[in-house]
Amino acid sequence: AEGGGGVSAGTVHAGGTDGAGGRAAAGRALPIHEALKEAWGVADFEIHDNGEILLHGRPIELASTSEQYRVAGLVALGLAQIGGVGFAALDGFEVLTRRLRNHFLSAIEGAGVENVLVFCSAENGVPPAGTVPDWLGVYTVNEGRVEASHGG
């Protein structure tokens, strides 16, 4: 895109700052899980150098809550990888349908993130007990109280 330091569709670039205030990592691509991006239907999201995020060619603010979550989840996983923190935390997991949650569970193991914490505000956001891998911590939030449903 013009004027926004555009990137190609579905590509995310991260810029950093060195000690002198310059851009140290401009243009460094975040490791975005391609299979999950496709499965989640957000393959064409873009993050521009000016911070603008587009999905399907429109500002992310115009996307559904589920679409916003899916894009944010992919970016969080990418940042967890390059940051070397070994884990990612995602709040609002219940906005995903069961099919989208299953895509997440099957795809995340190849993302290089050792542990993932997901927070749900409703019981229907919790994956069935037998399908939750050891690396996934699932927590429910009820009336302001956080309770471990699995892991953690």
Side-chain angles (χ1 to χ4, degrees), residues 76-151:
L77 293 172
L79 290 171
Q81 275 187 268
I82 67 167
V85 295
F87 78 94
L90 305 172
D91 190 11
F93 198 62
E94 73 278 358
V95 304
L96 298 177
T97 63
R98 181 174 302 277
R99 182 181 62 82
L100 293 173
R101 288 192 305 260
N102 288 340
H103 285 305
F104 172 80
L105 293 174
S106 63
I108 193 63
E109 290 180 330
V113 178
E114 298 169 10
N115 295 287
V116 178
L117 307 176
V118 294
F119 296 86
C120 312
S121 62
E123 282 296 321
N124 67 349
V126 179
T131 64
V132 179
D134 291 340
W135 50 260
L136 180 66
V138 181
Y139 299 85
T140 55
V141 182
N142 295 309
E143 297 180 9
R145 285 191 359 240
V146 177
E147 299 173 357
S149 295
H150 174 81

Side-chain angles (χ1 to χ4, degrees), residues 44-67:
D44 65 342
F45 83 91
E46 306 169 28
I47 297 180
H48 295 268
D49 290 345
N50 65 0
E52 180 182 38
I53 301 174
L54 301 177
L55 178 62
H56 311 311
R58 302 177 332 168
I60 193 69
E61 294 83 4
L62 300 177
S64 72
T65 300
S66 177
E67 288 172 322

